[in-house]
mmCIF file with all atom_site columns, all heavy atoms in Angstrom:
data_model
loop_
_atom_site.group_PDB
_atom_site.id
_atom_site.type_symbol
_atom_site.label_atom_id
_atom_site.label_alt_id
_atom_site.label_comp_id
_atom_site.label_asym_id
_atom_site.label_entity_id
_atom_site.label_seq_id
_atom_site.pdbx_PDB_ins_code
_atom_site.Cartn_x
_atom_site.Cartn_y
_atom_site.Cartn_z
_atom_site.occupancy
_atom_site.B_iso_or_equiv
_atom_site.pdbx_formal_charge
_atom_site.auth_seq_id
_atom_site.auth_comp_id
_atom_site.auth_asym_id
_atom_site.auth_atom_id
_atom_site.pdbx_PDB_model_num
ATOM 1   N N   . ILE A 1 1  ? 35.663  -0.263  8.271  1.00 0.00 ? 1  ILE A N   1
ATOM 2   C CA  . ILE A 1 1  ? 35.013  -0.347  6.989  1.00 0.00 ? 1  ILE A CA  1
ATOM 3   C C   . ILE A 1 1  ? 35.792  0.422   6.014  1.00 0.00 ? 1  ILE A C   1
ATOM 4   O O   . ILE A 1 1  ? 36.003  1.671   6.210  1.00 0.00 ? 1  ILE A O   1
ATOM 5   C CB  . ILE A 1 1  ? 33.588  0.137   7.093  1.00 0.00 ? 1  ILE A CB  1
ATOM 6   C CG1 . ILE A 1 1  ? 32.799  -0.735  8.125  1.00 0.00 ? 1  ILE A CG1 1
ATOM 7   C CG2 . ILE A 1 1  ? 32.918  0.034   5.685  1.00 0.00 ? 1  ILE A CG2 1
ATOM 8   C CD1 . ILE A 1 1  ? 31.377  -0.226  8.361  1.00 0.00 ? 1  ILE A CD1 1
ATOM 9   N N   . LEU A 1 2  ? 36.241  -0.214  4.958  1.00 0.00 ? 2  LEU A N   1
ATOM 10  C CA  . LEU A 1 2  ? 37.015  0.506   3.869  1.00 0.00 ? 2  LEU A CA  1
ATOM 11  C C   . LEU A 1 2  ? 36.269  0.588   2.621  1.00 0.00 ? 2  LEU A C   1
ATOM 12  O O   . LEU A 1 2  ? 35.361  -0.210  2.328  1.00 0.00 ? 2  LEU A O   1
ATOM 13  C CB  . LEU A 1 2  ? 38.371  -0.307  3.752  1.00 0.00 ? 2  LEU A CB  1
ATOM 14  C CG  . LEU A 1 2  ? 39.203  -0.461  4.955  1.00 0.00 ? 2  LEU A CG  1
ATOM 15  C CD1 . LEU A 1 2  ? 40.431  -1.406  4.661  1.00 0.00 ? 2  LEU A CD1 1
ATOM 16  C CD2 . LEU A 1 2  ? 39.726  0.909   5.382  1.00 0.00 ? 2  LEU A CD2 1
ATOM 17  N N   . PRO A 1 3  ? 36.567  1.563   1.777  1.00 0.00 ? 3  PRO A N   1
ATOM 18  C CA  . PRO A 1 3  ? 36.020  1.653   0.487  1.00 0.00 ? 3  PRO A CA  1
ATOM 19  C C   . PRO A 1 3  ? 36.098  0.396   -0.311 1.00 0.00 ? 3  PRO A C   1
ATOM 20  O O   . PRO A 1 3  ? 37.195  -0.261  -0.286 1.00 0.00 ? 3  PRO A O   1
ATOM 21  C CB  . PRO A 1 3  ? 36.722  2.822   -0.198 1.00 0.00 ? 3  PRO A CB  1
ATOM 22  C CG  . PRO A 1 3  ? 37.332  3.599   0.884  1.00 0.00 ? 3  PRO A CG  1
ATOM 23  C CD  . PRO A 1 3  ? 37.588  2.626   1.993  1.00 0.00 ? 3  PRO A CD  1
ATOM 24  N N   . GLY A 1 4  ? 35.043  -0.008  -1.035 1.00 0.00 ? 4  GLY A N   1
ATOM 25  C CA  . GLY A 1 4  ? 35.064  -1.208  -1.829 1.00 0.00 ? 4  GLY A CA  1
ATOM 26  C C   . GLY A 1 4  ? 34.624  -2.457  -1.098 1.00 0.00 ? 4  GLY A C   1
ATOM 27  O O   . GLY A 1 4  ? 34.450  -3.513  -1.740 1.00 0.00 ? 4  GLY A O   1
ATOM 28  N N   . MET A 1 5  ? 34.475  -2.440  0.203  1.00 0.00 ? 5  MET A N   1
ATOM 29  C CA  . MET A 1 5  ? 33.986  -3.619  0.990  1.00 0.00 ? 5  MET A CA  1
ATOM 30  C C   . MET A 1 5  ? 32.573  -3.797  0.686  1.00 0.00 ? 5  MET A C   1
ATOM 31  O O   . MET A 1 5  ? 31.809  -2.925  0.509  1.00 0.00 ? 5  MET A O   1
ATOM 32  C CB  . MET A 1 5  ? 34.236  -3.422  2.436  1.00 0.00 ? 5  MET A CB  1
ATOM 33  C CG  . MET A 1 5  ? 35.650  -3.514  2.943  1.00 0.00 ? 5  MET A CG  1
ATOM 34  S SD  . MET A 1 5  ? 35.707  -3.232  4.658  1.00 0.00 ? 5  MET A SD  1
ATOM 35  C CE  . MET A 1 5  ? 37.139  -4.307  5.039  1.00 0.00 ? 5  MET A CE  1
ATOM 36  N N   . ALA A 1 6  ? 32.177  -5.067  0.655  1.00 0.00 ? 6  ALA A N   1
ATOM 37  C CA  . ALA A 1 6  ? 30.788  -5.410  0.417  1.00 0.00 ? 6  ALA A CA  1
ATOM 38  C C   . ALA A 1 6  ? 30.037  -5.664  1.726  1.00 0.00 ? 6  ALA A C   1
ATOM 39  O O   . ALA A 1 6  ? 30.770  -6.019  2.700  1.00 0.00 ? 6  ALA A O   1
ATOM 40  C CB  . ALA A 1 6  ? 30.622  -6.667  -0.432 1.00 0.00 ? 6  ALA A CB  1
ATOM 41  N N   . GLY A 1 7  ? 28.793  -5.451  1.790  1.00 0.00 ? 7  GLY A N   1
ATOM 42  C CA  . GLY A 1 7  ? 28.049  -5.694  3.081  1.00 0.00 ? 7  GLY A CA  1
ATOM 43  C C   . GLY A 1 7  ? 26.613  -6.018  2.670  1.00 0.00 ? 7  GLY A C   1
ATOM 44  O O   . GLY A 1 7  ? 26.149  -5.922  1.660  1.00 0.00 ? 7  GLY A O   1
ATOM 45  N N   . PHE A 1 8  ? 25.854  -6.335  3.797  1.00 0.00 ? 8  PHE A N   1
ATOM 46  C CA  . PHE A 1 8  ? 24.417  -6.589  3.713  1.00 0.00 ? 8  PHE A CA  1
ATOM 47  C C   . PHE A 1 8  ? 23.775  -5.796  4.695  1.00 0.00 ? 8  PHE A C   1
ATOM 48  O O   . PHE A 1 8  ? 24.094  -5.747  5.889  1.00 0.00 ? 8  PHE A O   1
ATOM 49  C CB  . PHE A 1 8  ? 24.260  -8.114  3.915  1.00 0.00 ? 8  PHE A CB  1
ATOM 50  C CG  . PHE A 1 8  ? 22.743  -8.538  3.811  1.00 0.00 ? 8  PHE A CG  1
ATOM 51  C CD1 . PHE A 1 8  ? 22.168  -8.676  2.557  1.00 0.00 ? 8  PHE A CD1 1
ATOM 52  C CD2 . PHE A 1 8  ? 21.996  -8.675  4.913  1.00 0.00 ? 8  PHE A CD2 1
ATOM 53  C CE1 . PHE A 1 8  ? 20.879  -8.962  2.445  1.00 0.00 ? 8  PHE A CE1 1
ATOM 54  C CE2 . PHE A 1 8  ? 20.658  -9.087  4.842  1.00 0.00 ? 8  PHE A CE2 1
ATOM 55  C CZ  . PHE A 1 8  ? 20.098  -9.221  3.603  1.00 0.00 ? 8  PHE A CZ  1
ATOM 56  N N   . VAL A 1 9  ? 22.716  -5.054  4.218  1.00 0.00 ? 9  VAL A N   1
ATOM 57  C CA  . VAL A 1 9  ? 21.979  -4.213  5.069  1.00 0.00 ? 9  VAL A CA  1
ATOM 58  C C   . VAL A 1 9  ? 20.472  -4.438  4.949  1.00 0.00 ? 9  VAL A C   1
ATOM 59  O O   . VAL A 1 9  ? 20.041  -4.692  3.842  1.00 0.00 ? 9  VAL A O   1
ATOM 60  C CB  . VAL A 1 9  ? 22.280  -2.707  4.769  1.00 0.00 ? 9  VAL A CB  1
ATOM 61  C CG1 . VAL A 1 9  ? 21.444  -1.764  5.692  1.00 0.00 ? 9  VAL A CG1 1
ATOM 62  C CG2 . VAL A 1 9  ? 23.713  -2.440  4.962  1.00 0.00 ? 9  VAL A CG2 1
ATOM 63  N N   . THR A 1 10 ? 19.749  -4.434  6.049  1.00 0.00 ? 10 THR A N   1
ATOM 64  C CA  . THR A 1 10 ? 18.282  -4.475  6.047  1.00 0.00 ? 10 THR A CA  1
ATOM 65  C C   . THR A 1 10 ? 17.702  -3.328  6.771  1.00 0.00 ? 10 THR A C   1
ATOM 66  O O   . THR A 1 10 ? 18.396  -2.704  7.583  1.00 0.00 ? 10 THR A O   1
ATOM 67  C CB  . THR A 1 10 ? 17.806  -5.808  6.733  1.00 0.00 ? 10 THR A CB  1
ATOM 68  O OG1 . THR A 1 10 ? 18.124  -5.885  8.050  1.00 0.00 ? 10 THR A OG1 1
ATOM 69  C CG2 . THR A 1 10 ? 18.346  -7.053  6.011  1.00 0.00 ? 10 THR A CG2 1
ATOM 70  N N   . GLY A 1 11 ? 16.509  -3.037  6.400  1.00 0.00 ? 11 GLY A N   1
ATOM 71  C CA  . GLY A 1 11 ? 15.821  -1.888  7.048  1.00 0.00 ? 11 GLY A CA  1
ATOM 72  C C   . GLY A 1 11 ? 14.328  -1.899  6.885  1.00 0.00 ? 11 GLY A C   1
ATOM 73  O O   . GLY A 1 11 ? 13.883  -2.742  6.124  1.00 0.00 ? 11 GLY A O   1
ATOM 74  N N   . GLU A 1 12 ? 13.694  -1.047  7.570  1.00 0.00 ? 12 GLU A N   1
ATOM 75  C CA  . GLU A 1 12 ? 12.200  -0.980  7.463  1.00 0.00 ? 12 GLU A CA  1
ATOM 76  C C   . GLU A 1 12 ? 11.935  0.466   7.116  1.00 0.00 ? 12 GLU A C   1
ATOM 77  O O   . GLU A 1 12 ? 12.535  1.412   7.556  1.00 0.00 ? 12 GLU A O   1
ATOM 78  C CB  . GLU A 1 12 ? 11.520  -1.261  8.805  1.00 0.00 ? 12 GLU A CB  1
ATOM 79  C CG  . GLU A 1 12 ? 11.564  -2.769  9.095  1.00 0.00 ? 12 GLU A CG  1
ATOM 80  C CD  . GLU A 1 12 ? 10.745  -3.118  10.322 1.00 0.00 ? 12 GLU A CD  1
ATOM 81  O OE1 . GLU A 1 12 ? 9.789   -2.334  10.611 1.00 0.00 ? 12 GLU A OE1 1
ATOM 82  O OE2 . GLU A 1 12 ? 11.031  -4.136  10.923 1.00 0.00 ? 12 GLU A OE2 1
ATOM 83  N N   . GLY A 1 13 ? 10.920  0.544   6.269  1.00 0.00 ? 13 GLY A N   1
ATOM 84  C CA  . GLY A 1 13 ? 10.461  1.949   5.893  1.00 0.00 ? 13 GLY A CA  1
ATOM 85  C C   . GLY A 1 13 ? 8.912   1.907   5.746  1.00 0.00 ? 13 GLY A C   1
ATOM 86  O O   . GLY A 1 13 ? 8.269   0.824   5.710  1.00 0.00 ? 13 GLY A O   1
ATOM 87  N N   . ASP A 1 14 ? 8.339   3.032   5.750  1.00 0.00 ? 14 ASP A N   1
ATOM 88  C CA  . ASP A 1 14 ? 6.859   3.238   5.626  1.00 0.00 ? 14 ASP A CA  1
ATOM 89  C C   . ASP A 1 14 ? 6.603   3.901   4.249  1.00 0.00 ? 14 ASP A C   1
ATOM 90  O O   . ASP A 1 14 ? 7.329   4.817   3.884  1.00 0.00 ? 14 ASP A O   1
ATOM 91  C CB  . ASP A 1 14 ? 6.352   4.091   6.717  1.00 0.00 ? 14 ASP A CB  1
ATOM 92  C CG  . ASP A 1 14 ? 6.459   3.503   8.097  1.00 0.00 ? 14 ASP A CG  1
ATOM 93  O OD1 . ASP A 1 14 ? 6.415   2.206   8.101  1.00 0.00 ? 14 ASP A OD1 1
ATOM 94  O OD2 . ASP A 1 14 ? 6.551   4.221   9.054  1.00 0.00 ? 14 ASP A OD2 1
ATOM 95  N N   . LEU A 1 15 ? 5.638   3.354   3.584  1.00 0.00 ? 15 LEU A N   1
ATOM 96  C CA  . LEU A 1 15 ? 5.097   3.978   2.372  1.00 0.00 ? 15 LEU A CA  1
ATOM 97  C C   . LEU A 1 15 ? 4.019   4.955   2.881  1.00 0.00 ? 15 LEU A C   1
ATOM 98  O O   . LEU A 1 15 ? 3.348   4.774   3.869  1.00 0.00 ? 15 LEU A O   1
ATOM 99  C CB  . LEU A 1 15 ? 4.595   2.949   1.431  1.00 0.00 ? 15 LEU A CB  1
ATOM 100 C CG  . LEU A 1 15 ? 5.549   1.956   0.924  1.00 0.00 ? 15 LEU A CG  1
ATOM 101 C CD1 . LEU A 1 15 ? 4.819   0.887   0.013  1.00 0.00 ? 15 LEU A CD1 1
ATOM 102 C CD2 . LEU A 1 15 ? 6.598   2.740   -0.044 1.00 0.00 ? 15 LEU A CD2 1
ATOM 103 N N   . PRO A 1 16 ? 3.708   5.989   2.052  1.00 0.00 ? 16 PRO A N   1
ATOM 104 C CA  . PRO A 1 16 ? 2.563   6.868   2.397  1.00 0.00 ? 16 PRO A CA  1
ATOM 105 C C   . PRO A 1 16 ? 1.318   6.064   2.520  1.00 0.00 ? 16 PRO A C   1
ATOM 106 O O   . PRO A 1 16 ? 0.980   5.254   1.722  1.00 0.00 ? 16 PRO A O   1
ATOM 107 C CB  . PRO A 1 16 ? 2.600   7.792   1.228  1.00 0.00 ? 16 PRO A CB  1
ATOM 108 C CG  . PRO A 1 16 ? 3.920   7.795   0.632  1.00 0.00 ? 16 PRO A CG  1
ATOM 109 C CD  . PRO A 1 16 ? 4.402   6.410   0.848  1.00 0.00 ? 16 PRO A CD  1
ATOM 110 N N   . GLY A 1 17 ? 0.614   6.284   3.641  1.00 0.00 ? 17 GLY A N   1
ATOM 111 C CA  . GLY A 1 17 ? -0.639  5.607   3.893  1.00 0.00 ? 17 GLY A CA  1
ATOM 112 C C   . GLY A 1 17 ? -0.538  4.364   4.639  1.00 0.00 ? 17 GLY A C   1
ATOM 113 O O   . GLY A 1 17 ? -1.518  3.658   4.936  1.00 0.00 ? 17 GLY A O   1
ATOM 114 N N   . ASP A 1 18 ? 0.700   3.896   4.880  1.00 0.00 ? 18 ASP A N   1
ATOM 115 C CA  . ASP A 1 18 ? 0.863   2.595   5.543  1.00 0.00 ? 18 ASP A CA  1
ATOM 116 C C   . ASP A 1 18 ? 0.508   2.653   6.996  1.00 0.00 ? 18 ASP A C   1
ATOM 117 O O   . ASP A 1 18 ? 0.382   1.544   7.702  1.00 0.00 ? 18 ASP A O   1
ATOM 118 C CB  . ASP A 1 18 ? 2.281   2.064   5.436  1.00 0.00 ? 18 ASP A CB  1
ATOM 119 C CG  . ASP A 1 18 ? 2.591   1.265   4.182  1.00 0.00 ? 18 ASP A CG  1
ATOM 120 O OD1 . ASP A 1 18 ? 1.525   1.005   3.465  1.00 0.00 ? 18 ASP A OD1 1
ATOM 121 O OD2 . ASP A 1 18 ? 3.710   0.726   4.037  1.00 0.00 ? 18 ASP A OD2 1
ATOM 122 N N   . ASN A 1 19 ? 0.317   3.771   7.639  1.00 0.00 ? 19 ASN A N   1
ATOM 123 C CA  . ASN A 1 19 ? -0.099  3.847   9.031  1.00 0.00 ? 19 ASN A CA  1
ATOM 124 C C   . ASN A 1 19 ? -1.402  3.135   9.249  1.00 0.00 ? 19 ASN A C   1
ATOM 125 O O   . ASN A 1 19 ? -1.648  2.583   10.402 1.00 0.00 ? 19 ASN A O   1
ATOM 126 C CB  . ASN A 1 19 ? -0.105  5.273   9.512  1.00 0.00 ? 19 ASN A CB  1
ATOM 127 C CG  . ASN A 1 19 ? 1.227   5.926   9.711  1.00 0.00 ? 19 ASN A CG  1
ATOM 128 O OD1 . ASN A 1 19 ? 2.166   5.143   9.839  1.00 0.00 ? 19 ASN A OD1 1
ATOM 129 N ND2 . ASN A 1 19 ? 1.252   7.242   9.662  1.00 0.00 ? 19 ASN A ND2 1
ATOM 130 N N   . ASP A 1 20 ? -2.308  3.002   8.302  1.00 0.00 ? 20 ASP A N   1
ATOM 131 C CA  . ASP A 1 20 ? -3.556  2.307   8.450  1.00 0.00 ? 20 ASP A CA  1
ATOM 132 C C   . ASP A 1 20 ? -3.350  0.797   8.475  1.00 0.00 ? 20 ASP A C   1
ATOM 133 O O   . ASP A 1 20 ? -4.304  0.066   8.785  1.00 0.00 ? 20 ASP A O   1
ATOM 134 C CB  . ASP A 1 20 ? -4.437  2.689   7.349  1.00 0.00 ? 20 ASP A CB  1
ATOM 135 C CG  . ASP A 1 20 ? -5.196  3.995   7.503  1.00 0.00 ? 20 ASP A CG  1
ATOM 136 O OD1 . ASP A 1 20 ? -5.013  4.573   8.633  1.00 0.00 ? 20 ASP A OD1 1
ATOM 137 O OD2 . ASP A 1 20 ? -5.730  4.512   6.564  1.00 0.00 ? 20 ASP A OD2 1
ATOM 138 N N   . ARG A 1 21 ? -2.190  0.317   8.150  1.00 0.00 ? 21 ARG A N   1
ATOM 139 C CA  . ARG A 1 21 ? -1.955  -1.161  8.051  1.00 0.00 ? 21 ARG A CA  1
ATOM 140 C C   . ARG A 1 21 ? -1.100  -1.702  9.202  1.00 0.00 ? 21 ARG A C   1
ATOM 141 O O   . ARG A 1 21 ? -0.802  -2.828  9.275  1.00 0.00 ? 21 ARG A O   1
ATOM 142 C CB  . ARG A 1 21 ? -1.179  -1.416  6.803  1.00 0.00 ? 21 ARG A CB  1
ATOM 143 C CG  . ARG A 1 21 ? -1.955  -1.162  5.567  1.00 0.00 ? 21 ARG A CG  1
ATOM 144 C CD  . ARG A 1 21 ? -1.186  -1.406  4.263  1.00 0.00 ? 21 ARG A CD  1
ATOM 145 N NE  . ARG A 1 21 ? -1.955  -0.967  3.073  1.00 0.00 ? 21 ARG A NE  1
ATOM 146 C CZ  . ARG A 1 21 ? -2.656  -1.770  2.358  1.00 0.00 ? 21 ARG A CZ  1
ATOM 147 N NH1 . ARG A 1 21 ? -2.676  -2.986  2.595  1.00 0.00 ? 21 ARG A NH1 1
ATOM 148 N NH2 . ARG A 1 21 ? -3.286  -1.345  1.327  1.00 0.00 ? 21 ARG A NH2 1
ATOM 149 N N   . ARG A 1 22 ? -0.817  -0.847  10.285 1.00 0.00 ? 22 ARG A N   1
ATOM 150 C CA  . ARG A 1 22 ? -0.091  -1.328  11.418 1.00 0.00 ? 22 ARG A CA  1
ATOM 151 C C   . ARG A 1 22 ? -0.973  -1.785  12.446 1.00 0.00 ? 22 ARG A C   1
ATOM 152 O O   . ARG A 1 22 ? -1.994  -1.074  12.844 1.00 0.00 ? 22 ARG A O   1
ATOM 153 C CB  . ARG A 1 22 ? 0.795   -0.151  11.977 1.00 0.00 ? 22 ARG A CB  1
ATOM 154 C CG  . ARG A 1 22 ? 1.918   0.200   11.099 1.00 0.00 ? 22 ARG A CG  1
ATOM 155 C CD  . ARG A 1 22 ? 2.784   1.134   11.810 1.00 0.00 ? 22 ARG A CD  1
ATOM 156 N NE  . ARG A 1 22 ? 3.966   1.411   10.942 1.00 0.00 ? 22 ARG A NE  1
ATOM 157 C CZ  . ARG A 1 22 ? 4.777   2.364   11.209 1.00 0.00 ? 22 ARG A CZ  1
ATOM 158 N NH1 . ARG A 1 22 ? 4.599   3.140   12.252 1.00 0.00 ? 22 ARG A NH1 1
ATOM 159 N NH2 . ARG A 1 22 ? 5.776   2.549   10.397 1.00 0.00 ? 22 ARG A NH2 1
ATOM 160 N N   . GLY A 1 23 ? -0.816  -2.977  12.955 1.00 0.00 ? 23 GLY A N   1
ATOM 161 C CA  . GLY A 1 23 ? -1.584  -3.587  13.950 1.00 0.00 ? 23 GLY A CA  1
ATOM 162 C C   . GLY A 1 23 ? -1.810  -5.042  13.770 1.00 0.00 ? 23 GLY A C   1
ATOM 163 O O   . GLY A 1 23 ? -0.945  -5.669  13.122 1.00 0.00 ? 23 GLY A O   1
ATOM 164 N N   . VAL A 1 24 ? -2.913  -5.599  14.219 1.00 0.00 ? 24 VAL A N   1
ATOM 165 C CA  . VAL A 1 24 ? -3.166  -6.968  14.168 1.00 0.00 ? 24 VAL A CA  1
ATOM 166 C C   . VAL A 1 24 ? -4.327  -7.167  13.153 1.00 0.00 ? 24 VAL A C   1
ATOM 167 O O   . VAL A 1 24 ? -5.353  -6.513  13.238 1.00 0.00 ? 24 VAL A O   1
ATOM 168 C CB  . VAL A 1 24 ? -3.596  -7.564  15.511 1.00 0.00 ? 24 VAL A CB  1
ATOM 169 C CG1 . VAL A 1 24 ? -3.958  -8.997  15.420 1.00 0.00 ? 24 VAL A CG1 1
ATOM 170 C CG2 . VAL A 1 24 ? -2.574  -7.337  16.608 1.00 0.00 ? 24 VAL A CG2 1
ATOM 171 N N   . THR A 1 25 ? -4.082  -8.005  12.185 1.00 0.00 ? 25 THR A N   1
ATOM 172 C CA  . THR A 1 25 ? -5.095  -8.307  11.147 1.00 0.00 ? 25 THR A CA  1
ATOM 173 C C   . THR A 1 25 ? -6.014  -9.450  11.569 1.00 0.00 ? 25 THR A C   1
ATOM 174 O O   . THR A 1 25 ? -5.456  -10.443 11.948 1.00 0.00 ? 25 THR A O   1
ATOM 175 C CB  . THR A 1 25 ? -4.466  -8.619  9.792  1.00 0.00 ? 25 THR A CB  1
ATOM 176 O OG1 . THR A 1 25 ? -3.620  -7.501  9.373  1.00 0.00 ? 25 THR A OG1 1
ATOM 177 C CG2 . THR A 1 25 ? -5.505  -8.824  8.635  1.00 0.00 ? 25 THR A CG2 1
ATOM 178 N N   . VAL A 1 26 ? -7.330  -9.240  11.608 1.00 0.00 ? 26 VAL A N   1
ATOM 179 C CA  . VAL A 1 26 ? -8.304  -10.269 12.094 1.00 0.00 ? 26 VAL A CA  1
ATOM 180 C C   . VAL A 1 26 ? -9.336  -10.338 10.970 1.00 0.00 ? 26 VAL A C   1
ATOM 181 O O   . VAL A 1 26 ? -9.432  -9.513  10.168 1.00 0.00 ? 26 VAL A O   1
ATOM 182 C CB  . VAL A 1 26 ? -8.886  -9.890  13.424 1.00 0.00 ? 26 VAL A CB  1
ATOM 183 C CG1 . VAL A 1 26 ? -7.868  -9.830  14.519 1.00 0.00 ? 26 VAL A CG1 1
ATOM 184 C CG2 . VAL A 1 26 ? -9.630  -8.542  13.341 1.00 0.00 ? 26 VAL A CG2 1
ATOM 185 N N   . PRO A 1 27 ? -10.041 -11.510 10.974 1.00 0.00 ? 27 PRO A N   1
ATOM 186 C CA  . PRO A 1 27 ? -11.195 -11.664 10.003 1.00 0.00 ? 27 PRO A CA  1
ATOM 187 C C   . PRO A 1 27 ? -12.199 -10.457 10.257 1.00 0.00 ? 27 PRO A C   1
ATOM 188 O O   . PRO A 1 27 ? -12.401 -9.980  11.426 1.00 0.00 ? 27 PRO A O   1
ATOM 189 C CB  . PRO A 1 27 ? -11.810 -12.967 10.363 1.00 0.00 ? 27 PRO A CB  1
ATOM 190 C CG  . PRO A 1 27 ? -10.666 -13.723 11.028 1.00 0.00 ? 27 PRO A CG  1
ATOM 191 C CD  . PRO A 1 27 ? -9.920  -12.692 11.772 1.00 0.00 ? 27 PRO A CD  1
ATOM 192 N N   . ILE A 1 28 ? -12.840 -10.043 9.167  1.00 0.00 ? 28 ILE A N   1
ATOM 193 C CA  . ILE A 1 28 ? -13.758 -8.855  9.320  1.00 0.00 ? 28 ILE A CA  1
ATOM 194 C C   . ILE A 1 28 ? -14.888 -9.192  10.230 1.00 0.00 ? 28 ILE A C   1
ATOM 195 O O   . ILE A 1 28 ? -15.361 -8.267  10.953 1.00 0.00 ? 28 ILE A O   1
ATOM 196 C CB  . ILE A 1 28 ? -14.308 -8.479  7.935  1.00 0.00 ? 28 ILE A CB  1
ATOM 197 C CG1 . ILE A 1 28 ? -15.081 -7.194  7.978  1.00 0.00 ? 28 ILE A CG1 1
ATOM 198 C CG2 . ILE A 1 28 ? -15.080 -9.549  7.293  1.00 0.00 ? 28 ILE A CG2 1
ATOM 199 C CD1 . ILE A 1 28 ? -14.278 -5.900  8.265  1.00 0.00 ? 28 ILE A CD1 1
ATOM 200 N N   . GLY A 1 29 ? -15.246 -10.343 10.402 1.00 0.00 ? 29 GLY A N   1
ATOM 201 C CA  . GLY A 1 29 ? -16.356 -10.825 11.290 1.00 0.00 ? 29 GLY A CA  1
ATOM 202 C C   . GLY A 1 29 ? -15.922 -10.720 12.760 1.00 0.00 ? 29 GLY A C   1
ATOM 203 O O   . GLY A 1 29 ? -16.792 -10.817 13.647 1.00 0.00 ? 29 GLY A O   1
ATOM 204 N N   . ALA A 1 30 ? -14.691 -10.516 13.038 1.00 0.00 ? 30 ALA A N   1
ATOM 205 C CA  . ALA A 1 30 ? -14.191 -10.332 14.559 1.00 0.00 ? 30 ALA A CA  1
ATOM 206 C C   . ALA A 1 30 ? -14.459 -9.058  15.060 1.00 0.00 ? 30 ALA A C   1
ATOM 207 O O   . ALA A 1 30 ? -14.320 -8.844  16.248 1.00 0.00 ? 30 ALA A O   1
ATOM 208 C CB  . ALA A 1 30 ? -12.741 -10.775 14.549 1.00 0.00 ? 30 ALA A CB  1
ATOM 209 N N   . VAL A 1 31 ? -14.858 -8.034  14.247 1.00 0.00 ? 31 VAL A N   1
ATOM 210 C CA  . VAL A 1 31 ? -15.009 -6.674  14.627 1.00 0.00 ? 31 VAL A CA  1
ATOM 211 C C   . VAL A 1 31 ? -16.463 -6.321  14.398 1.00 0.00 ? 31 VAL A C   1
ATOM 212 O O   . VAL A 1 31 ? -16.983 -6.529  13.290 1.00 0.00 ? 31 VAL A O   1
ATOM 213 C CB  . VAL A 1 31 ? -14.052 -5.696  13.912 1.00 0.00 ? 31 VAL A CB  1
ATOM 214 C CG1 . VAL A 1 31 ? -14.270 -4.271  14.341 1.00 0.00 ? 31 VAL A CG1 1
ATOM 215 C CG2 . VAL A 1 31 ? -12.641 -6.078  14.288 1.00 0.00 ? 31 VAL A CG2 1
ATOM 216 N N   . PHE A 1 32 ? -17.079 -5.560  15.297 1.00 0.00 ? 32 PHE A N   1
ATOM 217 C CA  . PHE A 1 32 ? -18.428 -5.128  15.118 1.00 0.00 ? 32 PHE A CA  1
ATOM 218 C C   . PHE A 1 32 ? -18.697 -3.780  15.713 1.00 0.00 ? 32 PHE A C   1
ATOM 219 O O   . PHE A 1 32 ? -17.957 -3.336  16.630 1.00 0.00 ? 32 PHE A O   1
ATOM 220 C CB  . PHE A 1 32 ? -19.435 -6.127  15.692 1.00 0.00 ? 32 PHE A CB  1
ATOM 221 C CG  . PHE A 1 32 ? -19.385 -6.244  17.194 1.00 0.00 ? 32 PHE A CG  1
ATOM 222 C CD1 . PHE A 1 32 ? -20.256 -5.540  18.028 1.00 0.00 ? 32 PHE A CD1 1
ATOM 223 C CD2 . PHE A 1 32 ? -18.402 -7.033  17.808 1.00 0.00 ? 32 PHE A CD2 1
ATOM 224 C CE1 . PHE A 1 32 ? -20.243 -5.640  19.335 1.00 0.00 ? 32 PHE A CE1 1
ATOM 225 C CE2 . PHE A 1 32 ? -18.368 -7.102  19.151 1.00 0.00 ? 32 PHE A CE2 1
ATOM 226 C CZ  . PHE A 1 32 ? -19.245 -6.378  19.939 1.00 0.00 ? 32 PHE A CZ  1
ATOM 227 N N   . THR A 1 33 ? -19.671 -3.050  15.210 1.00 0.00 ? 33 THR A N   1
ATOM 228 C CA  . THR A 1 33 ? -20.040 -1.768  15.790 1.00 0.00 ? 33 THR A CA  1
ATOM 229 C C   . THR A 1 33 ? -21.602 -1.876  16.108 1.00 0.00 ? 33 THR A C   1
ATOM 230 O O   . THR A 1 33 ? -22.385 -2.012  15.188 1.00 0.00 ? 33 THR A O   1
ATOM 231 C CB  . THR A 1 33 ? -19.808 -0.595  14.762 1.00 0.00 ? 33 THR A CB  1
ATOM 232 O OG1 . THR A 1 33 ? -18.425 -0.594  14.447 1.00 0.00 ? 33 THR A OG1 1
ATOM 233 C CG2 . THR A 1 33 ? -20.188 0.728   15.382 1.00 0.00 ? 33 THR A CG2 1
#
């Protein structure tokens, strides 16, 4: 890799508070207490 070369990069990151969004999303009626 030399200076000036172009490339494509992808990555994942977390925003603050995103830990509550990790998992499987289901309809609200599928969960009960």
